[in-house]
Amino acid sequence: MSGYVISPPPVSSVPVAGGGAFPVRRVFCVGRNYAEHAREMGSDPDRELPFFFCKPADALVTGDADMPYPTMTTNLHHEMELVVAIGTGGKDIAEADALSHVWGYAAGLDMTRRDLQNAAKKEGKPWDMGKGFDQSAPIGVLIPAAGFPDPTKGKIELKVNGKLRQVSDLSKLIWSVAETIAFLSRLVALAPGDLIFTGTPEGVAAVVKGDLLEGVVEGVGTVTARIV
Ligand code: MN
C-alpha cells in the first residue's frame, strides 16, 4: 500500500498529572449506573444489565478549556462522572483482575443534548447525536491508578456557578468499575487507550451559555468547563 491519501487525523489525548499525555483510542460510556439517576430518567434501576454507548475520541475537551454550546439543542445537560483509562487491553477480563487493566482515573463530564437523546429514545433510534457530538466530553487531568487504589468509594460532585447540582458517592455505582470493565470486555476486546465514563449520579440538569461547571471526584481530581 502507498501512503495515506489525506493527513492522518491527530491522536486525542488526556494530560497526565506530573506530565505526559495518555493517548485515547475509544470512549465508552455506561448508561444509568446510579439508581437515583436511573429513577430520575424514568427507568427501573433494579432490572438492567450495564449498557454502553460511545463518544468519538475527538469529543474530549482538555485543559479546562471552554465548551461551546452545541448546535441543534435547547436542552444541554451535565453528567458528572468518574472516568477510567485502560492501560492493558483484554477480552473476557475477570472481575478480580479488572483493576489491573486500569492505567488511571480522571473526572469527566458526559455532556448530553437531552432533547435529542429523549427524542431518539422515544423513536427507538440511536443516541449518537444526543451524546457523541463535538466537544461533548470535558475531562480533567488523569492520575495513575496507584494514586487511587480503591475506586469503590469517594465523593463525586458537580457545582454550576458555585451551586451544588450533583452529589453522590462512587459506592453507589450500580456496576462497580471492576464489574463494568469485566462486562464491557465480554462485548468488545478492550485495548490500551480506551476510556470508560462510568455513569452519572442524580441531579442532571440544563446549563446555558456563561455557566461555569466545576466537578470533583474525591481522590482523583477535578474537571472545569465554561459553556460559551
Ligand atoms: Mn453519562
Side-chain angles (χ1 to χ4, degrees), residues 86 88-101 178-179 181-183 185-186 188-190:
I86 299 295
T88 307
K91 54 184 178 180
D92 297 319
I93 295 168
E95 192 187 315
D97 295 332
L99 295 185
S100 72
H101 292 256
E179 288 169 334
I181 292 168
F183 196 93
S185 77
R186 291 158 57 192
V188 292
L190 289 174

Side-chain angles (χ1 to χ4, degrees), residues 11-12 33 59 77 80-81 86 95 116 127 179 189 196 223 225:
V11 175
S12 291
N33 203 16
H77 272 207
M80 179 63 204
E81 312 202 357
I86 299 295
E95 192 187 315
L116 296 198
W127 291 10
E179 288 169 334
I196 306 170
V223 57

Side-chain angles (χ1 to χ4, degrees), residues 34 79-83 106-109 148 153-159 164-173 197-202 214-221 223:
Y34 289 81
E79 296 194 357
M80 179 63 204
E81 312 202 357
L82 170 71
V83 184
L109 286 160
F148 190 60
K153 56 180 191 278
K155 190 175 172 185
I156 178 167
E157 67 170 41
L158 178 73
K159 288 179 179 168
L164 201 57
R165 284 270 190 97
Q166 292 190 268
V167 60
S168 189
D169 195 279
L170 301 178
S171 61
K172 294 185 179 173
L173 281 165
F197 281 63
T198 56
T200 196
E202 65 274 20
E214 297 171 291
V216 183
V217 179
E218 180 186 10
V220 172
V223 57

Side-chain angles (χ1 to χ4, degrees), residues 31-54:
R32 297 193 282 264
N33 203 16
Y34 289 81
E36 286 306 319
H37 173 63
R39 288 187 195 103
E40 77 180 350
M41 300 308 287
S43 296
D44 178 351
D46 300 324
R47 278 192 320 193
E48 216 172 22
L49 288 172
F51 71 94
F52 301 87
F53 56 91
C54 293

Side-chain angles (χ1 to χ4, degrees), residues 6 15 17-18 31 36 51 57 60 63 65 72 94 98 100 112 117 130 132 137 141 154 158 173 192 213 221-222 227:
I6 58 167
E36 286 306 319
F51 71 94
L60 296 167
M72 302 291 282
S100 72
T112 301
Q117 186 201 22
V141 167
L158 178 73
L173 281 165
L213 283 63
T222 62
I227 310 300

